[in-house]
Amino acid sequence: PPTVGCILCAAMSSIPTIALFVSSLCLVHAKRESDLNGGMLRPERICGTAFPHNTTQEAVQCFCFMSGQCESPCKCFQGCASDVVVRHRWTATFKNVNDATSCGNQTSRALLTIPREYFRSIDHLWQACSAEAAYTIVEEALIKSFEEFQNWSVGPVRQCIHAPWRQTVQWMHIHTLCGAGMLDGMPGSTTESWCGDMATAQQAASLARQMLQWAQSSKAKQHLRASADITSNG
C-alpha cells in the first residue's frame, strides 16, 4: 500500500522543485522499509533490553545471530548461512532443530520465532514493553511464522510457548508446528505452556491477546505455587 510520503509525492508532482525533494525522501523511506523487511537493518527499537554478551549458553548466542544482533561466531546447529533465517520488522523466524510429532499429512518440520530485541521470556517482554508494544511484537511473530510455515506445508498450525520456568533457551521464542502436532511437552499443562491453533493469519490478533493474557495468569499461578511451597516447608 502507498505510504503517506509517497501519496505526498503524487500530490506535489505539479511543483517541480518540491516534487524532486519529496521524491528523494520517498526513495530513502522505501529503501529503509525494504531493508528492514529483508532483515538488512536493525529493527526499530520498539522496546527491549541489551543482549547479555557474557552469556555462555550457546543456544542464546545462536538466537542472537538469528536476531541480527550478533555476526559471529556461529553457534547454530542449523548453520549461519543467510538463508537459514527470515528476519522481519521486529521478529525473526528460523527452523527448530527438533521436529514435531503427530503431524499426519503435514510436515514435521517446526519453526521458532523470536523477537529481534532481547527478551529473556514472555514475562520479560511484558515487563520491558508497553502493553501495545508487547502485543505488536507477538502479533507479528504469529503472522510471520504462520506465513513461513505455509511455504513448507499448507494448512493449519499450532503456535506454542513455554512458561518462563520451563524454557530451555533463555530468549523468548514461539514454536510453530503442524496443526495437530506435539513438541517439547506441548500442548500440555496450562501452567507450563500455552498453545493456540491458527488456520488463517487473521487469527493472529486474537491469539496474541490470548497468549499475553495467559502469560499474566500463568505468572500469578507461579507466585501462588511458590508461596504454597514456602508455607509447606516452613
Side-chain angles (χ1 to χ4, degrees):
T3 63
V4 173
C6 291
I7 292 172
L8 181 60
C9 287
M12 302 299 289
S13 60
S14 60
I15 309 176
T17 303
I18 297 177
L20 178 63
F21 173 72
V22 175
S23 294
S24 298
L25 291 180
C26 284
L27 289 173
V28 170
H29 174 76
K31 183 180 187 304
R32 174 171 170 76
E33 193 165 60
S34 173
D35 286 346
L36 278 170
N37 290 339
M40 299 302 294
L41 297 178
R42 287 285 303 279
E44 296 175 30
R45 191 176 178 84
I46 190 170
C47 56
T49 57
F51 170 69
H53 286 280
N54 61 344
T55 181
T56 58
Q57 190 179 25
E58 289 192 355
V60 173
Q61 294 172 359
C62 170
F63 281 25
C64 187
F65 166 80
M66 296 298 189
S67 76
Q69 290 197 50
C70 302
E71 294 183 1
S72 62
C74 179
K75 298 290 185 179
C76 301
F77 289 112
Q78 301 94 326
C80 293
S82 60
D83 61 349
V84 302
V85 58
V86 180
R87 296 188 182 108
H88 320 296
R89 190 173 188 180
W90 290 300
T91 60
T93 301
F94 51 96
K95 186 182 183 300
N96 194 340
V97 295
N98 298 315
D99 289 339
T101 60
S102 304
C103 287
N105 294 328
Q106 283 187 284
T107 181
S108 60
R109 176 189 178 109
L111 300 176
L112 293 173
T113 301
I114 62 173
R116 292 185 64 190
E117 293 289 351
Y118 176 72
F119 301 99
R120 186 177 55 258
S121 65
I122 193 167
D123 278 1
H124 186 196
L125 172 75
W126 188 257
Q127 293 163 6
C129 301
S130 67
E132 180 181 4
Y135 168 82
T136 297
I137 291 170
V138 172
E139 183 185 30
E140 182 190 87
L142 294 173
I143 291 172
K144 295 302 184 181
S145 58
F146 176 85
E147 292 175 349
E148 288 301 319
F149 192 88
Q150 302 308 303
N151 293 330
W152 293 92
S153 184
V154 175
V157 305
R158 178 162 283 166
Q159 305 277 23
C160 296
I161 189 169
H162 280 112
W165 56 94
R166 287 292 180 261
Q167 283 183 220
T168 55
V169 180
Q170 299 307 303
W171 190 308
M172 177 186 160
H173 52 282
I174 295 172
H175 299 255
T176 304
L177 48 149
C178 58
M182 301 180 69
L183 177 65
D184 293 344
M186 300 178 291
S189 167
T190 56
T191 61
E192 298 186 354
S193 64
W194 175 92
C195 289
D197 294 337
M198 188 172 179
T200 69
Q202 287 68 37
Q203 291 177 274
S206 173
L207 291 175
R209 286 191 293 271
Q210 292 176 38
M211 183 187 293
L212 289 167
Q213 288 168 358
W214 164 82
Q216 293 307 295
S217 173
S218 182
K219 185 175 182 181
K221 290 176 182 176
Q222 180 194 20
H223 289 313
L224 288 173
R225 184 172 61 188
S227 298
D229 290 343
I230 291 171
T231 301
S232 63
N233 292 330

